[in-house]
Amino acid sequence: MLLKGIQLLRSGFVASPKSYNFRLFLRALSVHYGDSRALTPAVKEYVEKCVGLCQPEQVHICDGSTAESKLLQSLMLKQGTIVPLPKYDNCWLARTNPADVARVESKTFICTDRNEETVPVTPNATPGSLGNWISEADLKAAIAERFPGCMKGRTMYVIPFSMGPVGSPLSKIGIEITDSPYVVESMKIMTRAGSLVLQVLQQGDGQFVKCLHSVGTPASGVQAQTSWPCDPERTIILHKPAENEIVSYGSGYGGNSLLGKKCFALRIGSTIAKREGWLAEHMLILGITNPQGKKIYVAAAFPSACGKTNLAMMTPTLPGYKVECVGDDIAWMKFDSQGVLRAINPENGFFGVAPGTSRATNPIAMDTVFRNTVFTNVASTSDGGVYWEGMESSHLADVTVTDWLGKLWSKESGKPAAHPNSRFCTPASQCPIIDPAWEDSAGVPISAILFGGRRPSGVPLVYEARDWTHGVFIGASMRSEATAAAEHKTKAIMHDPFAMRPFFGYNFGDYLSHWLSMEKRGQVPKIFHVNWFRKSSEGKFLWPGFGDNSRVLDWIFRRVQGENCYEESPIGRLPSKDALNVAGLEGSVDLKQLFDLPKDFWQQEVVEIEKYFEAQVGGHLPQAVATQLAELKARVATM
């Protein structure tokens, strides 16, 4: 089997078998759904390669239809992968294998000719801190050890999908091959998937990103949970930017299996963006309209589970303001012919963290998710609904609760009902405040970019970069508490530059140079840093957050409009006295403590950033960023 796999891997990820004609093979194999004639020659060739390697029982070419969804839902019900949630309209619950619940950063690799094309190579670099490199020989060996025959007895699904509005000049097309109907149905929510994409591919340049996925089978041949097949011990996610190719094995979890998401939209996307002169970023996009009817668009980069969805779906408490959502996770941004930076949300749905989402924190999300949604690893209730931590107690009235592991649960259980990284996968079009221009093929104009994370101390509520280069430095030096979206178990403060640390598709030093170069390409937006999570000495949050974050957006809006409502500080521009509108804010807010800049904290912050840049980036750090650090160090010394 290993020898056969190696023979199939002589060029690219998967080489074309020569022993049979594809049409004859498909006829013998049976395309039991879909029409192979809709595939372009290049797509047919790719499917042929994957069929030869994975050896499925049959092929299903996805058309994206409702009828297809009903067919696959029926299949997953029979397999036990999903259960219906009759309390809602067309909603389903999946419970994964407990070993398959999050992205696996330590098993995610980028393949380039040289190590330093993927990650900065320095004497003291921590392996995996800014990505993992794999040689082509090791990549091929990893595939050969896992993929030959991995789909025997299973259906191979061919998913044509578009990242971004179908036909938009900012969009890109992918073909995902998978043996998971759960992945098919999730991709149909998260991307524009189906026959229309194949039509565009036929009419265009024919280029597509190749995405091969299998849930795998353990080496023992025994699945621990037949309703959720996976191979956690041998899970691996591989990317080859030079070939625009992704291969994922062993996991059914969204971030590892929905290959249009982080794998394509960010890792491969960022390498395509570098080649073509644009940006592929881990950012939400929102539109905000002020009381005078003026509107701007803002992009914001926060690590996973740090409030992106809550901000993108905000209900402002500040009278007269309106927020509309373009996207909650990923932004592709490119300058138009007039030099305006325009952004699209390449996704078609929301893959949001459920715990903490409630009527109090995000009523818009709660009005979005209870139809046409796949929930994963949340708890279920005996009345056919769902429950997770943070949801109102009224949902527990007169019902019994089954936790994400399938066991009866009560508040006295001592364990969470829902997994901390449990998710909802729901169509973006259902969002009550979806922006009218969210599918505009030209994108929306970006006036401001926000960086932020969970910083319990030292970092003020908001500050503005002095210029573009200073803003790039702020993005490069981002730090935040680790979250449940990855396999990290502690809440240590981690460096997470641009909220892209797990998602860089190429060397971070080169990424910084690419960001710096954008200033020469067009009109760059203002850059800000925000921190909703600062705590008092008693451990309580100093800022109410959620809808009151509109007060911060108000100040940002006014700065974009050129209002002189700031004062200089050693770290950047802070709101001047009384510039932050706190009128009508419930309860008292200690603005002095919220904006305090403790000298000892910032001296240590400079040390940590300096150590990080030296150890992880080294000689790959652009001089302009090094100069920004030196200037911050000098300013902090005079505080």
Side-chain angles (χ1 to χ4, degrees):
M1 184 66 76
L2 178 60
L3 178 60
K4 182 174 183 178
I6 292 173
Q7 289 171 341
L8 291 171
L9 293 162
R10 293 196 183 280
S11 65
F13 276 5
V14 186
S16 180
K18 305 297 182 184
S19 58
Y20 57 83
N21 177 276
F22 179 55
R23 290 184 179 85
L24 292 176
F25 186 83
L26 281 184
R27 201 172 296 133
L29 183 67
S30 167
V31 175
H32 84 116
Y33 190 100
D35 184 359
S36 63
R37 293 172 297 180
L39 306 180
T40 66
V43 174
K44 286 181 180 178
E45 181 183 4
Y46 178 56
V47 174
E48 174 186 1
K49 294 174 182 179
C50 294
V51 166
L53 177 64
C54 303
Q55 301 169 35
E57 182 176 308
Q58 56 191 7
V59 172
H60 175 126
I61 300 170
C62 300
D63 60 17
S65 67
T66 301
E68 178 184 60
S69 291
K70 290 185 182 300
L71 179 73
L72 296 182
Q73 288 162 1
S74 177
L75 173 63
M76 287 189 283
L77 281 168
K78 184 178 179 181
Q79 295 172 337
T81 303
I82 60 173
V83 295
L85 296 167
K87 186 175 180 178
Y88 317 121
D89 178 17
N90 191 34
C91 289
W92 311 87
L93 171 61
R95 291 188 175 97
T96 74
N97 183 310
D100 188 21
V101 295
R103 286 184 283 104
V104 283
E105 294 171 14
S106 60
K107 299 180 180 181
T108 301
F109 298 89
I110 309 289
C111 176
T112 51
D113 290 340
R114 294 176 294 111
N115 191 344
E116 58 267 29
E117 291 177 274
T118 296
V119 291
V121 178
T122 71
N124 301 313
T126 304
S129 175
L130 287 167
N132 301 298
W133 177 76
I134 189 170
S135 68
E136 186 160 358
D138 287 343
L139 174 145
K140 290 182 176 181
I143 296 174
E145 289 165 5
R146 293 165 173 82
F147 274 89
C150 67
M151 294 188 188
K152 281 185 176 179
R154 298 175 182 168
T155 298
M156 172 184 281
Y157 300 95
V158 180
I159 313 169
F161 66 96
S162 175
M163 299 306 293
V166 178
S168 165
L170 298 179
S171 299
K172 302 290 180 184
I173 286 175
I175 301 291
E176 176 157 2
I177 307 290
T178 182
D179 52 6
S180 167
Y182 169 90
V183 167
V184 176
E185 284 305 291
S186 298
M187 284 289 287
K188 285 166 67 174
I189 294 172
M190 292 307 301
T191 71
R192 287 91 170 167
S195 301
L196 182 59
V197 178
L198 290 176
Q199 294 175 25
V200 171
L201 204 56
Q202 292 275 12
Q203 298 161 4
D205 61 9
Q207 297 296 309
F208 64 94
V209 172
K210 304 179 183 73
C211 308
L212 173 60
H213 167 258
S214 174
V215 293
T217 301
S220 66
V222 179
Q223 289 286 354
Q225 184 176 322
T226 55
S227 61
W228 189 269
C230 58
D231 187 3
E233 294 300 317
R234 299 193 297 168
T235 293
I236 196 165
I237 297 95
L238 305 163
H239 308 72
K240 193 171 185 183
E243 304 293 335
N244 286 346
E245 198 159 359
I246 305 160
V247 172
S248 172
Y249 173 90
S251 171
Y253 169 75
N256 305 323
S257 65
L258 310 184
L259 301 186
K261 198 163 178 57
K262 303 299 202 268
C263 295
F264 180 166
L266 292 180
R267 297 190 190 100
I268 293 296
S270 65
T271 64
I272 296 173
K274 181 176 182 290
R275 291 196 296 265
E276 297 181 356
W278 48 280
L279 297 170
E281 299 299 324
H282 188 206
M283 293 183 178
L284 66 88
I285 311 167
L286 63 82
I288 181 166
T289 304
N290 71 6
Q292 290 72 47
K294 293 182 179 179
K295 185 174 186 178
I296 64 170
Y297 288 93
V298 174
F302 307 150
S304 294
C306 284
K308 289 197 307 299
T309 301
N310 285 346
L311 184 61
M313 299 184 186
M314 178 198 293
T315 301
T317 58
L318 204 56
Y321 269 91
K322 179 171 70 172
V323 166
E324 292 168 297
C325 176
V326 177
D328 77 328
D329 195 38
I330 296 171
W332 285 359
M333 300 183 286
K334 186 176 184 178
F335 289 110
D336 65 14
S337 59
Q338 304 302 310
V340 176
L341 188 65
R342 291 187 170 269
I344 62 167
N345 168 17
E347 298 189 297
N348 193 49
F350 303 126
F351 188 65
V353 175
T357 305
S358 69
R359 286 278 163 200
T361 62
N362 194 336
I364 299 300
M366 296 295 279
D367 287 337
T368 302
V369 303
F370 293 115
R371 56 193 173 101
N372 306 314
T373 294
V374 178
F375 295 93
T376 301
N377 287 342
V378 300
S380 60
T381 55
S382 56
D383 63 347
V386 294
Y387 178 75
W388 53 73
E389 277 60 38
M391 194 182 280
E392 287 79 5
S393 297
S394 59
H395 290 265
L396 298 179
D398 302 317
V399 297
T400 57
V401 178
T402 302
D403 71 12
W404 73 280
L405 294 169
K407 299 177 181 178
L408 287 176
W409 177 90
S410 71
K411 288 191 173 182
E412 291 71 43
S413 298
K415 296 180 180 179
H419 187 276
N421 195 40
S422 55
R423 298 280 175 156
F424 53 78
C425 182
T426 195
S429 59
Q430 295 180 179
C431 178
I433 60 164
I434 198 71
D435 193 272
W438 87 281
E439 289 197 288
D440 190 325
S441 63
V444 297
I446 299 298
S447 297
I449 290 174
L450 316 185
F451 295 120
R454 289 181 177 267
R455 298 304 305 271
S457 64
V459 179
L461 177 63
V462 59
Y463 63 99
E464 179 190 342
R466 292 182 172 84
D467 53 37
W468 180 255
T469 303
H470 182 216
V472 173
F473 167 75
I474 289 171
S477 56
M478 277 174 60
R479 302 175 72 211
S480 183
E481 282 184 341
T483 74
E487 73 260 51
H488 305 290
K489 300 295 191 294
T490 67
K491 285 197 171 183
I493 302 295
M494 296 179 61
H495 293 270
D496 195 349
F498 293 82
M500 281 283 287
R501 183 192 56 77
F503 309 124
F504 291 119
Y506 61 100
N507 185 303
F508 175 51
D510 296 336
Y511 171 93
L512 288 174
S513 295
H514 181 58
W515 261 79
L516 290 167
S517 74
M518 300 305 285
E519 192 172 20
K520 299 176 182 177
R521 300 174 188 267
Q523 305 157 32
V524 292
K526 286 182 174 291
I527 293 178
F528 300 81
H529 187 283
V530 298
N531 175 30
W532 321 128
F533 303 99
R534 189 161 179 176
K535 294 181 179 179
S536 67
S537 55
E538 292 79 33
K540 295 181 179 180
F541 287 115
L542 289 167
W543 181 248
F546 304 113
D548 284 316
N549 292 336
S550 58
R551 301 169 186 278
V552 175
L553 292 183
D554 166 67
W555 181 74
I556 290 169
F557 196 120
R558 286 150 51 207
R559 285 295 303 128
V560 166
Q561 297 294 308
E563 184 177 328
N564 186 19
C565 54
Y566 72 92
E567 60 186 39
E568 294 288 354
S569 83
I571 67 167
R573 294 169 175 170
L574 299 174
S576 53
K577 182 177 173 57
D578 299 327
L580 190 68
N581 186 344
V582 293
L585 192 65
E586 290 188 16
S588 61
V589 172
D590 187 341
L591 292 176
K592 183 178 180 181
Q593 193 175 171
L594 194 58
F595 284 96
D596 184 39
L597 302 177
K599 181 174 182 177
D600 58 348
F601 172 90
W602 280 96
Q603 284 178 322
Q604 186 59 36
E605 189 76 358
V606 167
V607 169
E608 295 297 331
I609 296 169
E610 200 167 34
K611 285 164 54 179
Y612 182 74
F613 284 170
E614 182 179 347
Q616 304 302 329
V617 195
H620 301 274
L621 187 73
Q623 183 56 50
V625 177
T627 298
Q628 287 291 328
L629 176 59
E631 291 176 355
L632 173 63
K633 186 175 184 178
R635 291 193 300 269
V636 168
T638 64
M639 288 171 68

CSV table of all heavy atoms in Angstrom, one decimal, residues 455-481:
chain,number,residue,atom,x,y,z
A,455,ARG,N,-6.6,41.5,26.6
A,455,ARG,CA,-5.5,41.9,27.5
A,455,ARG,C,-6.1,42.4,28.8
A,455,ARG,O,-6.6,43.5,28.9
A,455,ARG,CB,-4.8,43.1,26.8
A,455,ARG,CG,-4.1,42.7,25.5
A,455,ARG,CD,-3.1,41.5,25.6
A,455,ARG,NE,-2.1,41.7,26.6
A,455,ARG,CZ,-0.9,42.2,26.3
A,455,ARG,NH1,-0.6,42.7,25.1
A,455,ARG,NH2,0.0,42.3,27.3
A,456,PRO,N,-6.0,41.6,29.8
A,456,PRO,CA,-6.6,41.9,31.1
A,456,PRO,C,-5.9,43.1,31.8
A,456,PRO,O,-6.6,43.7,32.7
A,456,PRO,CB,-6.4,40.7,32.0
A,456,PRO,CG,-5.6,39.7,31.2
A,456,PRO,CD,-5.4,40.2,29.8
A,457,SER,N,-4.7,43.5,31.4
A,457,SER,CA,-4.1,44.6,32.1
A,457,SER,C,-3.2,45.4,31.1
A,457,SER,O,-2.8,44.9,30.1
A,457,SER,CB,-3.2,44.1,33.3
A,457,SER,OG,-2.1,43.3,32.8
A,458,GLY,N,-3.0,46.7,31.5
A,458,GLY,CA,-2.1,47.6,30.8
A,458,GLY,C,-2.4,48.2,29.5
A,458,GLY,O,-2.0,49.3,29.2
A,459,VAL,N,-3.3,47.5,28.7
A,459,VAL,CA,-3.6,48.0,27.4
A,459,VAL,C,-4.9,48.8,27.4
A,459,VAL,O,-5.9,48.3,27.8
A,459,VAL,CB,-3.6,46.8,26.4
A,459,VAL,CG1,-4.0,47.4,25.0
A,459,VAL,CG2,-2.3,46.1,26.3
A,460,PRO,N,-4.9,50.0,26.9
A,460,PRO,CA,-6.1,50.9,27.0
A,460,PRO,C,-7.2,50.4,26.1
A,460,PRO,O,-7.0,49.6,25.2
A,460,PRO,CB,-5.6,52.3,26.6
A,460,PRO,CG,-4.4,52.0,25.7
A,460,PRO,CD,-3.8,50.8,26.3
A,461,LEU,N,-8.4,51.0,26.4
A,461,LEU,CA,-9.6,50.6,25.6
A,461,LEU,C,-9.4,50.8,24.1
A,461,LEU,O,-9.8,50.0,23.3
A,461,LEU,CB,-10.8,51.4,26.1
A,461,LEU,CG,-12.1,51.2,25.4
A,461,LEU,CD1,-12.6,49.8,25.6
A,461,LEU,CD2,-13.1,52.3,25.9
A,462,VAL,N,-8.8,51.9,23.7
A,462,VAL,CA,-8.6,52.2,22.3
A,462,VAL,C,-7.4,53.2,22.1
A,462,VAL,O,-7.2,54.0,23.0
A,462,VAL,CB,-9.9,52.7,21.6
A,462,VAL,CG1,-10.3,54.0,22.3
A,462,VAL,CG2,-9.7,52.9,20.1
A,463,TYR,N,-6.6,53.0,21.1
A,463,TYR,CA,-5.6,54.0,20.7
A,463,TYR,C,-5.4,53.9,19.2
A,463,TYR,O,-5.7,52.8,18.6
A,463,TYR,CB,-4.3,53.9,21.5
A,463,TYR,CG,-3.5,52.7,21.4
A,463,TYR,CD1,-2.4,52.6,20.5
A,463,TYR,CD2,-3.8,51.5,22.1
A,463,TYR,CE1,-1.6,51.5,20.4
A,463,TYR,CE2,-3.0,50.4,22.0
A,463,TYR,CZ,-1.9,50.4,21.2
A,463,TYR,OH,-1.2,49.2,21.1
A,464,GLU,N,-5.0,55.0,18.6
A,464,GLU,CA,-4.8,55.1,17.2
A,464,GLU,C,-3.3,55.1,16.8
A,464,GLU,O,-2.5,55.7,17.5
A,464,GLU,CB,-5.4,56.4,16.7
A,464,GLU,CG,-5.3,56.6,15.2
A,464,GLU,CD,-5.8,58.0,14.8
A,464,GLU,OE1,-6.5,58.7,15.6
A,464,GLU,OE2,-5.4,58.5,13.7
A,465,ALA,N,-3.0,54.4,15.7
A,465,ALA,CA,-1.6,54.5,15.2
A,465,ALA,C,-1.3,55.8,14.6
A,465,ALA,O,-2.2,56.5,14.1
A,465,ALA,CB,-1.4,53.4,14.2
A,466,ARG,N,-0.1,56.3,14.7
A,466,ARG,CA,0.3,57.6,14.2
A,466,ARG,C,0.3,57.6,12.7
A,466,ARG,O,0.0,58.6,12.1
A,466,ARG,CB,1.7,58.0,14.7
A,466,ARG,CG,1.7,58.3,16.2
A,466,ARG,CD,3.1,58.7,16.7
A,466,ARG,NE,3.1,59.1,18.1
A,466,ARG,CZ,3.2,58.3,19.1
A,466,ARG,NH1,3.3,57.0,18.9
A,466,ARG,NH2,3.1,58.7,20.3
A,467,ASP,N,0.6,56.5,12.1
A,467,ASP,CA,0.7,56.4,10.6
A,467,ASP,C,0.6,54.9,10.2
A,467,ASP,O,0.5,54.1,11.1
A,467,ASP,CB,1.9,57.1,10.1
A,467,ASP,CG,3.2,56.6,10.7
A,467,ASP,OD1,3.3,55.4,11.0
A,467,ASP,OD2,4.1,57.4,10.9
A,468,TRP,N,0.7,54.6,9.0
A,468,TRP,CA,0.6,53.3,8.5
A,468,TRP,C,1.6,52.3,9.0
A,468,TRP,O,1.4,51.2,9.5
A,468,TRP,CB,0.6,53.2,7.0
A,468,TRP,CG,0.4,51.9,6.4
A,468,TRP,CD1,1.4,51.1,5.8
A,468,TRP,CD2,-0.8,51.1,6.3
A,468,TRP,NE1,0.9,49.9,5.4
A,468,TRP,CE2,-0.4,49.9,5.7
A,468,TRP,CE3,-2.1,51.3,6.7
A,468,TRP,CZ2,-1.4,48.9,5.4
A,468,TRP,CZ3,-3.0,50.3,6.5
A,468,TRP,CH2,-2.7,49.1,5.9
A,469,THR,N,2.9,52.8,9.0
A,469,THR,CA,4.0,52.0,9.5
A,469,THR,C,3.8,51.7,11.0
A,469,THR,O,4.1,50.5,11.4
A,469,THR,CB,5.4,52.7,9.2
A,469,THR,OG1,5.5,52.9,7.8
A,469,THR,CG2,6.5,51.8,9.7
A,470,HIS,N,3.4,52.7,11.8
A,470,HIS,CA,3.2,52.4,13.2
A,470,HIS,C,2.0,51.4,13.3
A,470,HIS,O,2.1,50.6,14.2
A,470,HIS,CB,2.8,53.8,13.9
A,470,HIS,CG,2.6,53.6,15.3
A,470,HIS,ND1,1.7,54.4,16.0
A,470,HIS,CD2,3.2,52.8,16.3
A,470,HIS,CE1,1.7,54.1,17.3
A,470,HIS,NE2,2.6,53.1,17.5
A,471,GLY,N,1.0,51.5,12.5
A,471,GLY,CA,-0.1,50.6,12.5
A,471,GLY,C,0.4,49.1,12.2
A,471,GLY,O,-0.1,48.2,12.9
A,472,VAL,N,1.3,49.0,11.3
A,472,VAL,CA,1.8,47.7,11.0
A,472,VAL,C,2.5,47.1,12.2
A,472,VAL,O,2.4,45.9,12.5
A,472,VAL,CB,2.7,47.7,9.7
A,472,VAL,CG1,3.4,46.4,9.5
A,472,VAL,CG2,1.9,48.1,8.5
A,473,PHE,N,3.3,48.0,12.8
A,473,PHE,CA,4.0,47.5,14.1
A,473,PHE,C,3.0,47.1,15.1
A,473,PHE,O,3.2,46.1,15.8
A,473,PHE,CB,4.9,48.7,14.6
A,473,PHE,CG,5.4,48.4,16.0
A,473,PHE,CD1,6.4,47.5,16.2
A,473,PHE,CD2,4.8,49.1,17.1
A,473,PHE,CE1,6.8,47.3,17.5
A,473,PHE,CE2,5.2,48.9,18.4
A,473,PHE,CZ,6.3,48.0,18.6
A,474,ILE,N,1.9,47.8,15.3
A,474,ILE,CA,0.9,47.5,16.3
A,474,ILE,C,0.3,46.1,16.0
A,474,ILE,O,0.1,45.2,16.9
A,474,ILE,CB,-0.2,48.5,16.4
A,474,ILE,CG1,0.3,49.8,17.0
A,474,ILE,CG2,-1.4,48.0,17.1
A,474,ILE,CD1,-0.6,51.0,16.9
A,475,GLY,N,0.0,45.8,14.7
A,475,GLY,CA,-0.5,44.5,14.3
A,475,GLY,C,0.6,43.4,14.5
A,475,GLY,O,0.2,42.3,15.0
A,476,ALA,N,1.8,43.8,14.3
A,476,ALA,CA,2.9,42.8,14.4
A,476,ALA,C,3.1,42.4,15.9
A,476,ALA,O,3.6,41.3,16.2
A,476,ALA,CB,4.2,43.3,13.8
A,477,SER,N,2.8,43.3,16.8
A,477,SER,CA,3.1,43.1,18.2
A,477,SER,C,1.9,42.7,19.0
A,477,SER,O,1.9,42.7,20.3
A,477,SER,CB,3.8,44.4,18.8
A,477,SER,OG,2.9,45.5,18.6
A,478,MET,N,0.8,42.4,18.4
A,478,MET,CA,-0.4,42.0,19.1
A,478,MET,C,-0.1,40.8,20.0
A,478,MET,O,0.5,39.8,19.6
A,478,MET,CB,-1.5,41.6,18.1
A,478,MET,CG,-2.3,42.7,17.5
A,478,MET,SD,-3.4,42.1,16.2
A,478,MET,CE,-4.4,40.9,17.1
A,479,ARG,N,-0.8,40.8,21.2
A,479,ARG,CA,-0.7,39.7,22.1
A,479,ARG,C,-2.1,39.5,22.7
A,479,ARG,O,-2.9,40.5,22.9
A,479,ARG,CB,0.3,40.0,23.3
A,479,ARG,CG,1.7,40.3,22.7
A,479,ARG,CD,2.7,40.7,23.9
A,479,ARG,NE,3.0,39.5,24.7
A,479,ARG,CZ,3.2,39.6,26.0
A,479,ARG,NH1,3.2,40.7,26.6
A,479,ARG,NH2,3.5,38.5,26.7
A,480,SER,N,-2.4,38.3,23.1
A,480,SER,CA,-3.8,38.0,23.6
A,480,SER,C,-3.8,36.7,24.4
A,480,SER,O,-2.9,35.8,24.2
A,480,SER,CB,-4.8,37.9,22.4
A,480,SER,OG,-6.1,37.7,22.8
A,481,GLU,N,-4.8,36.5,25.3
A,481,GLU,CA,-4.9,35.3,25.9
A,481,GLU,C,-5.3,34.2,24.9
A,481,GLU,O,-6.1,34.4,24.0
A,481,GLU,CB,-6.1,35.4,27.0
A,481,GLU,CG,-5.7,36.0,28.3
A,481,GLU,CD,-6.8,36.0,29.3
A,481,GLU,OE1,-7.9,35.8,28.9
A,481,GLU,OE2,-6.5,36.2,30.5
